[in-house]
Structure formats: structure tokens, C-alpha cells
Amino acid sequence: MNRKNPNTDSFENLSQQAIVALLQSSGAERTALFEQSAQIKEKYVGNKVYLRGLIEMSNTCAKDCFYCGIRKSNKKVTRYDLKDEEILAAARYAYESRYGSIVIQSGELSSKRNTERIEGLLKQIREQSEGGLRVTLSCGEQSLSCYERWRKAGADRYLLRIETSNPELYLKLHPHNQNHRFERRLEALEALRVAGYQVGTGVMIGLPFQTLEDLAYDLRWMQQLEIDMVGMGPYLEHPDTPLYPYRNQLLPLADRFDLSLKMIAILRILMKDINIAASTAMQSIDKLGREKAIKVGANVFMPNITPGIYRDFYRLYENKPCTDESAEDCSNCIEVRMALTGHSIAYDEWGDSAHYQSKKINK
Ligand code: SAH
Ligand code: SF4
């Protein structure tokens, strides 16, 4: 893995201690952090926002992560699986709406049938948009050969959050079995690199048992790994999960939100030219959460284009926003939302990670 960073700004060497101090900042210090990150963002990636139409393909999952509302053992969930035609129609909608890019996300399923199905869908999406859409997958841990097949069939980017870079904390958030190993997640991230993807990862912020030191380390870990894109946001409790009893230990929602904004701002300072998503979870806490994330450093917005009737069933956490909207409602709303942030929307642009491109040039 190439670990050389082409940027040379003193800020990229923030120590663990300095990051913790920034995470704790308030008043003028906090304002200065956000001003700095906004300036760096404008200089390196510009005040424009890339769109990725988000298609939540299925809420069926073979895993049992303790934080997630659609975990396998939650029997209260009505499971769904979008039909191929629905996925293709959503991709067409994104293309015609000039989004430039889509994300296909789902619970984790690893089977020959699933590999072949996604491979077939990717080829059809490429065909129907004549290669005009970039596709990101977020379908969990798979084998290198599966990742390679999907890459060849048309996926360019892959999002696999590490959730936390602290292996001990990871153990507390997952069942202790072969399917949920921290090392396996790391190996999957490495396999994605080998397969040639633009690799995205991220963490949840404000998890039970998580410290500011953990979060500071998460940022340095992402920097060391030379990650191309990041999606991170607040942890939000879900009543039908094993972590729910720990909800009294959590930071208040407003603090979790503020911490998430600071994480985005510091990451932008550390990794100037990567793509950072304004996560949907930010909007669950604050109606203008995603706009605020964009102002302090995020540059990717993911409008949900899953057919409206399914949205209510993809509930990873409580109070997920926009579950009662259609894709068209969402499109109208983006224009207004982005105007509020003083950013323009990069229609028809793929919005590849500038970081990924500069790494290729520097190799
Ligand atoms: N199954 C895939 C992709 C879908 S889950 C995977 O796990 O990689 C996508 C992300 O949702 C997870 O990576 C996790 O970070 C986030 N998520 C799950 N439960 C959450 C919760 N309770 N609060 C906030 N984010 C959550
Ligand atoms: Fe499944 Fe992803 Fe939820 Fe874990 S976080 S239970 S892998 S959908």
C-alpha cells in the first residue's frame, strides 16, 4: 500500500494529544477549527458537492452487529430485497437526474448467488448508462475474488467502515465468532485495495465505551491507511439491539452531533483532498445536520433514491430521516439544502476522490 501523502501542510502531523484537544474545543477555539477546515476544503476540493444516489438494496443480513437495527437476530424487522428492475430504475433515475454516481448498500450476504446477482446488475447499470455512472458498493466483507468480479463488472468504489479502529472496542460491539473479527475487516479493506477500488471507510462516533482517545486514533488510523473516502457519523441507539441497555452511558445527542462535526473538520485538515460524506445519521439529530457537515469539511451528499415503500424497513437506527419521501421529493430538497450552504452541486460529475487520483500519479 502506498503510504506517501503528496500534501505537505504542518497540520497533517497533528499529534494524538492535539487531536483530543481539538475534539474537546469550545468557543473561539472550536470556531477557529471550523474556519480552518472550511478554508482547507475550499482550497483543495472546492465548494462543490458531489451527489451519490443511495439505493438500499436489501435489509437482509447474515451478521449480528450489536449496534444495528437490521441485524440478523432482530425478528421484528420486515425483510425486503429490491427487485432487479427496481434497482435498475433507481440507477436510471440517478443518471437522468445528472447525479453522476450511485451507492448500492445492503446487509451482508455472501453466497455465489449474491455475487452473481450483483455482478449482473453492475453490468446492466453500465450498459443502460453507457458507462456514465460511477458505482460505489457497500455490501460488507467479501472474498478478494468476489471484490475482483464486482470491480470488473463496473464497481469503482467500495465503502466498508471499520466502525472503530480499536480492536478491544470492536470486540465489545460484535459477537465473538469468525464472522465478526476485526482482523477480517482489516483484511477485507486490504483486499479492496488490491482489487483496485477507491476505498472508503469510517467510524461511528459516540459509541458506548468509546473515548476521545479512540476517536483521535481513528482519524490517525485513516490517515495512515491513505483512505480515499470517508463516511462517518454519530452512533444512534436502536431499541431492538444488544447495545440499547447502555444508552444511559451515551453522550447527549447534541454532544454526539458536535463531536461528529469536529471529527469531520479535523479529518479534512489531516486529509485535504479525500471525499468525505455528510452522513444521513447527522440529519437524524439535526434537521440541517448534513448541511452543517458540508460547511465544516464534507463534500459528498447521498440523496436516498430507494423506492419509498421500502425505506421504512432499512432502519439501522432510530429516527432515520426521509423514510417517508420519494426520490423526486428528495431531488427538489437537495437544491434548497445546498443553496443554504453556499455550495454548488456538481451535476454530471463522477466526483472521483482527488486523493485516489493523485496517489495514482505519484506512484
Ligand atoms: N452491511 C454493510 C453495509 C450496511 S450498514 C456493512 O455493515 O458494512 C452501513 C453502516 O451503518 C455500518 O457500517 C455502520 O457504521 C452504520 N450503522 C449501523 N448501525 C448504526 C447505528 N445504530 N447508528 C449509526 N450508524 C449505524
Ligand atoms: Fe449487517 Fe451491516 Fe448491520 Fe452489521 S452493520 S448487522 S453487517 S447491515
Side-chain angles (χ1 to χ4, degrees):
M1 212 176 281
N2 175 13
R3 294 183 199 279
K4 196 177 158 292
N5 193 321
N7 302 322
T8 49
D9 194 298
S10 58
F11 267 105
E12 77 190 30
N13 293 321
L14 282 176
S15 67
Q16 171 85 7
Q17 232 179 351
I19 297 176
V20 171
L22 286 172
L23 290 173
Q24 287 172 319
S25 64
S26 60
E29 240 183 338
R30 174 179 174 276
T31 310
L33 164 65
F34 291 158
E35 280 171 7
Q36 173 93 44
S37 61
Q39 276 168 19
I40 288 181
K41 180 186 145 177
E42 185 171 5
K43 179 169 167 199
Y44 286 87
V45 291
N47 278 349
K48 60 180 178 183
V49 173
Y50 298 117
L51 299 179
R52 281 84 172 94
L54 175 63
I55 305 171
E56 294 160 338
M57 176 172 160
S58 169
N59 66 354
T60 303
C61 188
K63 286 177 82 171
D64 244 338
C65 309
F66 291 158
Y67 39 85
C68 179
I70 62 169
R71 62 198 297 271
K72 181 183 170 193
S73 298
N74 185 3
K75 302 294 177 222
K76 292 191 192 164
V77 178
T78 306
R79 304 287 168 177
Y80 74 86
D81 195 1
L82 293 189
K83 297 186 196 80
D84 286 3
E85 305 85 80
E86 290 171 317
I87 295 166
L88 295 173
R92 196 172 307 120
Y93 173 83
Y95 183 58
E96 285 166 1
S97 307
R98 303 169 52 213
Y99 283 7
S101 171
I102 57 170
V103 178
I104 299 178
Q105 189 173 76
S106 80
E108 186 174 308
L109 291 176
S110 304
S111 64
K112 191 163 171 271
R113 190 184 158 271
N114 190 56
T115 304
E116 284 170 1
R117 182 182 176 212
I118 292 180
E119 186 178 43
L121 281 165
L122 288 165
K123 286 182 182 163
Q124 288 179 77
I125 291 169
R126 184 160 62 187
E127 228 164 81
Q128 75 175 19
S129 61
E130 294 172 352
L133 264 186
R134 277 278 197 256
V135 183
T136 304
L137 290 177
S138 179
C139 303
E141 294 159 37
Q142 308 288 343
S143 64
L144 173 62
S145 68
C146 172
Y147 285 149
E148 282 173 340
R149 278 176 72 168
W150 289 348
R151 175 87 183 90
K152 228 172 139 193
D156 306 283
R157 313 174 180 139
Y158 205 102
L159 202 60
L160 186 76
R161 288 184 174 182
I162 191 69
E163 317 297 0
T164 171
S165 62
N166 176 346
E168 285 167 27
L169 178 56
Y170 194 92
L171 261 182
K172 293 185 185 152
L173 307 174
H174 298 92
H176 300 176
N177 59 36
Q178 283 304 309
N179 262 349
H180 295 82
R181 282 171 46 240
F182 180 73
E183 292 72 22
R184 190 167 171 244
R185 200 107 183 138
L186 287 180
E187 283 157 19
L189 282 167
E190 184 63 32
L192 288 166
R193 265 286 193 248
V194 171
Y197 287 86
Q198 293 173 46
V199 181
T201 193
V203 295
M204 283 177 283
I205 299 158
L207 285 159
F209 325 116
Q210 190 180 42
T211 63
L212 290 183
E213 280 71 21
D214 288 330
L215 289 170
Y217 190 77
D218 287 339
L219 294 175
R220 295 174 62 222
W221 177 87
M222 289 188 247
Q223 190 185 23
Q224 218 211 344
L225 219 70
E226 283 273 352
I227 222 70
D228 304 301
M229 358 181 259
V230 172
M232 59 183 173
Y235 161 71
L236 297 164
E237 57 272 37
H238 187 295
D240 305 312
T241 58
L243 285 189
Y244 198 60
Y246 299 96
R247 65 190 176 284
N248 297 330
Q249 298 179 16
L250 301 173
L251 284 173
L253 280 177
D255 293 1
R256 258 180 271 167
F257 180 81
D258 195 58
L259 204 49
S260 303
L261 282 183
K262 288 174 183 159
M263 286 286 285
I264 289 174
I266 301 167
L267 182 67
R268 177 56 72 198
I269 292 170
L270 291 171
M271 301 190 76
K272 296 166 182 54
D273 56 356
I274 62 169
N275 281 342
I276 305 179
S279 75
T280 315
M282 303 282 298
Q283 200 188 331
S284 300
I285 300 183
D286 182 324
K287 279 200 164 47
L288 292 176
R290 286 191 283 186
E291 290 73 1
K292 290 179 182 173
I294 284 168
K295 277 191 162 170
V296 303
N299 67 330
V300 168
F301 190 93
M302 308 199 322
N304 195 331
I305 56 167
T306 310
I309 47 167
Y310 298 105
R311 289 202 199 171
D312 216 21
F313 303 127
Y314 198 84
R315 277 198 189 271
L316 307 173
Y317 43 78
E318 272 181 326
N319 298 324
K320 201 170 154 236
C322 306
T323 53
D324 55 354
E325 279 183 352
S326 67
E328 288 76 10
D329 294 341
C330 199
S331 254
N332 297 334
C333 160
I334 307 168
E335 287 277 351
V336 181
R337 285 177 175 277
M338 290 309 109
L340 281 175
T341 63
H343 285 62
S344 60
I345 299 179
Y347 284 115
D348 288 327
E349 285 194 47
W350 286 336
D352 284 332
S353 161
H355 187 72
Y356 178 81
Q357 287 167 337
S358 73
K359 269 192 313 190
K360 272 172 79 170
I361 292 163
N362 281 294
K363 256 187 185 167

